[in-house]
């Protein structure tokens, strides 16, 4: 289950980063079209991209390396993985446990 959940989250977080980059480029090129000030568009773009990058880094750098470890480290990593996945539980591709 954890391998499927890791793959699922990698896909979601990568998708979010791509969307943030695309939306940021679109809005910062013509912020008036979207009714926002240029400085607000730039700030939101930086925030959206940074948020997506942090999700990927958290998954890859602090969760995945400890999955399957013995003791507290492994339990904490699995808990963190499930917390990261929680907002996506209703997603069509969410890897629900069966059985």
């Amino acid at each position: 289950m954890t391998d499927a959940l890791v793959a699922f989250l990698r896909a979601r977080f990568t998708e979010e980063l791509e969307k943030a980059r695309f939306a940021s480029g679109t809005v910062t090129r013509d912020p008036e079209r979207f009714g926002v000030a240029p400085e607000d568009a730039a700030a939101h773009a930086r925030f959206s991209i940074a948020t997506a990058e942090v999700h990927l880094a958290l998954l890859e750098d602090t969760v995945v390396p400890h999955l399957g470890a013995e003791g507290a480290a492994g339990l904490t990593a699995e808990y963190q993985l499930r917390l990261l996945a929680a907002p996506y539980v209703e997603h069509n591709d969410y890897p629900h446990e069966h059985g």
Side-chain angles (χ1 to χ4, degrees), residues 2-3 6 59 62-69 73-74 76-79 81:
T2 57
D3 289 344
V6 168
L59 177 68
T62 67
V63 175
V64 171
H66 301 285
L67 287 171
T76 299
E78 188 167 333
Y79 181 64
L81 179 68

Side-chain angles (χ1 to χ4, degrees):
M1 171 64 176
T2 57
D3 289 344
L5 202 50
V6 168
F8 171 80
L9 284 175
R10 276 188 185 124
R12 296 296 69 74
F13 293 162
T14 299
E15 181 179 272
E16 287 177 9
L17 181 56
E18 290 170 1
K19 285 180 180 179
R21 287 179 176 154
F22 175 79
S24 296
T26 301
V27 173
T28 55
R29 274 193 299 276
D30 191 8
E32 293 81 18
R33 176 179 169 206
F34 299 97
V36 295
E39 59 275 5
D40 293 338
H44 184 72
R46 287 189 303 273
F47 176 80
S48 298
I49 291 170
T51 299
E53 290 173 340
V54 165
H55 285 150
L56 272 169
L58 181 63
L59 177 68
E60 298 297 344
D61 299 343
T62 67
V63 175
V64 171
H66 301 285
L67 287 171
E70 295 293 322
L75 292 173
T76 299
E78 188 167 333
Y79 181 64
Q80 289 173 327
L81 179 68
R82 293 185 187 284
L83 285 175
L84 288 171
Y88 301 96
V89 75
E90 298 299 325
H91 190 282
N92 288 338
D93 296 330
Y94 187 92
H96 295 281
E97 293 183 72
H98 301 286

